[in-house]
Amino acid sequence: MSSINLNVLDWANADAADRERVLTRNGTQQRLTRVTDLNRSIAELVEHVRHDGDAALITALRRFDGVEAAPDTLRVGEDEFAQARAELSDELIEAIRVSIARSRAFNEAIVQRASWSMPGPDGTSVGEVARPIESVGLFVPSGKGSYPSVLIQIGTPAVVAGVSRIAVVVPPNPTPGGTRVDAATLVVAEELGLDEVYCLNGPSGVAALAVGTQTVTAVGKIVGPGSPAVTIAQQLVQSTGVQVAPGLGPTDSLIVADSTADPVTLAADFLNEAEHGTDSSAVLVSTDRSLLEQVAKELESQWRGLPEPRRGYAKSSICDNGGLILAASDEQALEIANAYASEHVQLAVADPESWLTGVQHAGTVLMGQWTPFSASNFSIGTPATLPTTGFAKSVSGVTAHTYLTTIATAAPSRTSPRLR
């Protein structure tokens, strides 16, 4: 078995190349935007779907997923929903319901505050009213594992916002046996009242949502994280007029820790995000070199306990795309965090409230060591489908806001001459 061999990067003395490697996630954003063979092949796939509709979707499933399909099987049927529910334990179904309920509560609070009014000049009233968008396509990844939590995170706020039509695309289940579509994801859809679910190849499914086929009706917006191929497809289909929620690419996380943090727990939280995939990235920043060195030793031990391919994913995420960083001061630690603009930020420090004021760019901030990434991803109710690769500098995570538009309003005073 190989080793992580993780060294601490001294930020104050690091050269430009090392800093660039960390801040760009080892060039992830450039790979998503640079014209490459992958870009060209995805562009061809989108055009194939545009011209050939369902036939292109069937070809893509056969070619890229090894799945045979017919037009009448592209949409998940009632029997598949029933089979999926039968595969899940009562405990897992209850966990899904708890997660949905907490996400629902968080997003209901957003909707309640979305419309507002206040007195304007000369006794007038001004404000905004919020309205749900008409249709949305939700993409739920499947290639590297089961992600029912993603559908909870992006589907619950759409339901709460009141979107009239919600279509879901899920690639085929990569695990042999069982349901064609991940069973837990289908149960989440059913619990949310979503029955328009399609089993499609990722990039071609995105294209179908954008341009429509004989089976899939086009939507007005597409939301959901995915692989680089899916992200590229989402970028390309925007030329068709569909809106795509930006910045939902490979996951990234950053922890700021001080001497009060527990290195064993830090290592576990660090690996939790790092094992998502080879294009993920995880960074730990501290002014305490001793703490970073303890975490490095603990990471080696915990990493060896991961199964493949998760072990390989974590090694790439940490050693190639992220790492342990020594900051010269608390101020520099915050500068690094803001420059990195992470999807998930954890403040594993003694007084997280005092640090929060300095955080300018982040998808979600978790306060204290005992608010781990896993709790945010699965059980707290806060959004966990968030802007990645630095997009937190300009966009926010997926909540009910994502599915609402606002209309400005103005009303005259009831005592104005025209109303007397």
Side-chain angles (χ1 to χ4, degrees), residues 130-361:
R131 297 286 184 262
I133 62 176
E134 292 183 354
S135 62
V136 67
L138 307 180
F139 180 82
V140 181
S142 180
K144 295 173 183 173
S146 172
Y147 299 104
S149 60
V150 171
L151 185 54
I152 294 173
Q153 295 156 12
I154 66 178
T156 307
V159 171
V160 171
V163 180
S164 298
R165 175 176 166 244
I166 303 173
V168 181
V169 165
V170 189
N173 187 351
T175 305
T179 53
R180 179 174 60 133
V181 177
D182 174 61
T185 300
L186 287 184
V187 170
V188 170
E190 195 170 47
E191 290 287 326
L192 289 172
L194 306 179
D195 62 3
E196 188 181 349
V197 180
Y198 300 96
C199 179
L200 302 172
N201 165 262
S204 65
V206 168
L209 291 172
V211 302
T213 70
Q214 294 89 338
T215 297
V216 184
T217 303
V219 298
K221 188 170 188 175
I222 297 174
V223 177
S227 65
V230 168
T231 302
I232 290 168
Q234 291 178 344
Q235 293 169 350
L236 291 172
V237 299
Q238 291 181 90
S239 64
T240 68
V242 69
Q243 187 186 22
V244 176
L248 305 180
T251 190
D252 51 53
S253 61
L254 182 141
I255 302 173
V256 177
D258 64 13
S259 60
T260 66
D262 172 48
V264 176
T265 306
L266 280 179
D269 288 340
F270 199 57
L271 284 172
N272 176 74
E273 291 298 305
E275 52 87 42
H276 278 57
T278 57
D279 49 7
S280 302
S281 57
V283 172
L284 171 61
V285 182
S286 180
T287 59
D288 189 325
R289 180 182 286 275
S290 175
L291 176 69
L292 292 172
E293 291 173 347
Q294 291 178 65
V295 171
K297 292 179 181 178
E298 184 60 35
L299 273 172
E300 183 74 37
S301 173
Q302 294 188 26
W303 172 78
R304 288 179 178 274
L306 290 175
E308 289 291 1
R310 300 295 167 184
R311 190 186 306 127
Y313 293 165
K315 185 172 183 178
S316 294
S317 300
I318 296 170
C319 298
D320 299 334
N321 308 338
L324 305 181
I325 298 177
L326 177 66
S329 63
D330 291 353
E331 291 74 19
Q332 187 176 69
L334 283 170
E335 288 174 5
I336 296 167
N338 287 323
Y340 192 73
S342 183
E343 176 184 15
H344 309 276
V345 172
Q346 183 187 35
L347 298 178
V349 294
D351 185 12
E353 290 285 350
S354 67
W355 283 74
L356 180 61
T357 57
V359 178
Q360 300 300 313
H361 309 299

